[in-house]
C-alpha cells in the first residue's frame, strides 16, 4: 500500500504541476487518500491550493533535511482526502545543503517512509531539472508519470529524462517503472499535435494515457483562485479531461493489482 508517483519532465511549462494538482484532486474525490508533495522551489502546487507559501512555519525542505517530521508539515487542502506537503523558495537551498548529508539522494525516501502507509497515493510534483531534487524523487518513487506537451521539440529532453531513469533503475531504485505519459495542452485541430502524438506513441506506445488534456483557460485560471479545476469549472473541457485521466489511472491501478 502507499504508492509513490513522481511527475517529472525537466522541461518547464509542460504541465507537470497542473497535472499533479488536478489528478490528485480527482483521485482523492474517488475516495483514495492522497498526499501531494510540492517538490519544486517555485511552490506552484502549494499556491495552487490556496496556501500562502511565504508564511509557512515549515515546508518540505525541513522534512527533507530531517529537521521536521513530514507529519508536522503536512497540511489539509480544500479537497477531502487530499493533503499537501508544501514548498517554497527554501527548497532552492536543498540542492546545496543536501550535499553534506549521507545518502543525499535518499533524503526524500527517508522523509516519506514514516507516512507512506497513511496514504493510498503520494504524488510528487518535480522541479524542471534533473538535479538532486529530481534524483531524490526518482529514488523515493515507485513510478514516474511524464507529462509531455504536444508541441514541436516535445521529445527533446525526454531522452535525457529516460537516461536518468535508467541510471536510477540500475543503481538506486531497481523497482522504478514508467507509470505513463500524459499528453498536455493538446490541440485537436492542428496536424502538429497529431504528428507529435504519433512520434510520442512510437516512443512510449501503451504507456500513454489515451485521454489527452486539451488547452483550456479554466486550467490556467483555477490556481489563481487557490483551487483545482473541479472546484472552479467542473464542466470545462480541462476538468473533464483530468477527470477521465483519473478514471483511467485508477483502472490501470486496479488491473495492475489484479
Ligand atoms: P510545469 O509544472 O511543467 O512547469 P505547469 O503545469 O505550471 O507546468 O504549466 C505551465 C503553464 O501552462 C501554466 O501557466 C499553466 O497554467 C499552463 N497550462 C498547463 N496545462 C494547460 C492546459 N491544458 N491548457 C492551458 N494552459 C495550461
Ligand atoms: Mg511545475
Amino acid at each position: 500500500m502507499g504508492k509513490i508517483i513522481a511527475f517529472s519532465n525537466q522541461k518547464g511549462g509542460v504541465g507537470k504541476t497542473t497535472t499533479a494538482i488536478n489528478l490528485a484532486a480527482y483521485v482523492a474525490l474517488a475516495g483514495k487518500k492522497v498526499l501531494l508533495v510540492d517538490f519544486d522551489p517555485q511552490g506552484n502546487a502549494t499556491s495552487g491550493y490556496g496556501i500562502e507559501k511565504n508564511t509557512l512555519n515549515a515546508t518540505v525542505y525541513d522534512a527533507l533535511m530531517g529537521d521536521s517530521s513530514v507529519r508536522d508539515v503536512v497540511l489539509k487542502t480544500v479537497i477531502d482526502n487530499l493533503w499537501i506537503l508544501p514548498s517554497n523558495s527554501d527548497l532552492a537551498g536543498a540542492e546545496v545543503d543536501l550535499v553534506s548529508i549521507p545518502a543525499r539522494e535518499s533524503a526524500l525516501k527517508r522523509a516519506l517512509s514514516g507516512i507512506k502507509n497513511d496514504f493510498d497515493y503520494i504524488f510528487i510534483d518535480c522541479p524542471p531539472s534533473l538535479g538532486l531534487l529530481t534524483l531524490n524523487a526518482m529514488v523515493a518513487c515507485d513510478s514516474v508519470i511524464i507529462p509531455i506537451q504536444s508541441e514541436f521539440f516535445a521529445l527533446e529532453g525526454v531522452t535525457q529524462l529516460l537516461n536518468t531513469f535508467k541510471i536510477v533503475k540500475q543503481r538506486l531504485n531497481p523497482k522504478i517503472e514508467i507509470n505513463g505519459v500524459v499528453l498536455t495542452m493538446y490541440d485537436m485541430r492542428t496536424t502538429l499535435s497529431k504528428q507529435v502524438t504519433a512520434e510520442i506513441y512510437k516512443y512510449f506506445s501503451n504507456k500513454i494515457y489515451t485521454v489527452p488534456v486539451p488547452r483550456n483557460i479554466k486550467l490556467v485560471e483555477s490556481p489563481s483562485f487557490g483551487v483545482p479545476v473541479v472546484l472552479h469549472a467542473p464542466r470545462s473541457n480541462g476538468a473533464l479531461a483530468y477527470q477521465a485521466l483519473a478514471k483511467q489511472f485508477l483502472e490501470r491501478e486496479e488491473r495492475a493489482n489484479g
Side-chain angles (χ1 to χ4, degrees):
M1 283 286 274
K3 258 202 187 156
I4 305 184
I5 299 173
F7 292 68
S8 185
N9 182 334
Q10 81 273 27
K11 238 178 147 176
V14 299
K16 288 182 290 296
T17 301
T18 305
T19 300
I21 283 180
N22 290 300
L23 196 61
Y26 281 112
V27 169
L29 287 169
K32 305 291 182 189
K33 251 183 113 178
V34 183
L35 174 65
L36 176 59
V37 177
D38 189 347
F39 211 42
D40 185 344
Q42 291 180 55
N44 292 338
T46 301
S47 50
Y49 268 100
I51 294 158
E52 182 42 72
K53 61 190 175 198
N54 295 318
T55 58
L56 295 166
N57 288 324
T59 67
V60 65
Y61 173 83
D62 303 279
L64 190 66
M65 302 306 291
D67 297 335
S68 299
S69 122
V70 169
R71 245 189 217 100
D72 297 332
V73 186
V74 159
L75 300 172
K76 260 193 80 55
T77 72
V78 285
I79 299 284
D80 270 353
N81 287 327
L82 177 61
W83 284 260
I84 189 166
L85 190 53
S87 171
N88 62 22
S89 54
D90 286 355
L91 189 61
E95 296 266 355
V96 172
D97 299 342
L98 278 173
V99 168
S100 56
I101 284 182
R104 64 186 85 131
E105 67 287 337
S106 310
L108 183 62
K109 183 181 177 157
R110 283 196 298 279
L112 294 178
S113 62
I115 47 111
K116 186 172 174 179
N117 289 323
D118 295 351
F119 296 93
D120 295 305
Y121 293 103
I122 298 179
F123 288 171
I124 307 172
D125 182 25
C126 291
S129 73
L130 288 175
L132 195 46
L133 289 175
T134 294
L135 193 60
N136 262 270
M138 285 209 188
V139 169
C141 76
D142 297 290
S143 67
V144 182
I145 286 183
I146 309 172
I148 297 184
Q149 191 182 343
S150 326
E151 52 149 35
F152 218 52
F153 304 129
L155 285 169
E156 202 181 69
V158 170
T159 35
Q160 255 175 300
L161 174 68
L162 292 178
N163 220 16
T164 304
F165 173 88
K166 234 184 261 166
I167 292 168
V168 169
K169 193 171 176 74
Q170 279 163 4
R171 306 200 193 144
L172 297 164
N173 182 8
K175 287 187 330 203
I176 191 173
E177 291 187 31
I178 305 280
N179 172 290
V181 169
V182 177
L183 300 171
T184 61
M185 296 178 238
Y186 191 83
D187 186 348
M188 321 268 185
R189 292 163 311 181
T190 65
T191 43
L192 181 60
S193 265
K194 281 185 208 141
Q195 280 168 4
V196 170
T197 306
E199 194 68 14
I200 296 170
Y201 263 89
K202 262 193 249 160
Y203 231 81
F204 291 102
S205 59
N206 63 350
K207 291 284 183 191
I208 299 175
Y209 282 98
T210 53
V211 195
V213 180
R215 260 189 199 284
N216 183 252
I217 188 68
K218 299 297 174 194
L219 293 170
V220 183
E221 288 171 3
S222 47
S224 66
F225 295 101
V227 294
V229 73
V230 62
L231 296 184
H232 172 56
R235 317 288 298 163
S236 63
N237 288 337
L240 295 176
Y242 277 114
Q243 187 175 31
L245 185 69
K247 188 164 171 265
Q248 192 167 50
F249 169 84
L250 289 169
E251 281 167 2
R252 283 191 184 183
E253 285 297 301
E254 247 170 58
R255 233 174 295 138
N257 300 332

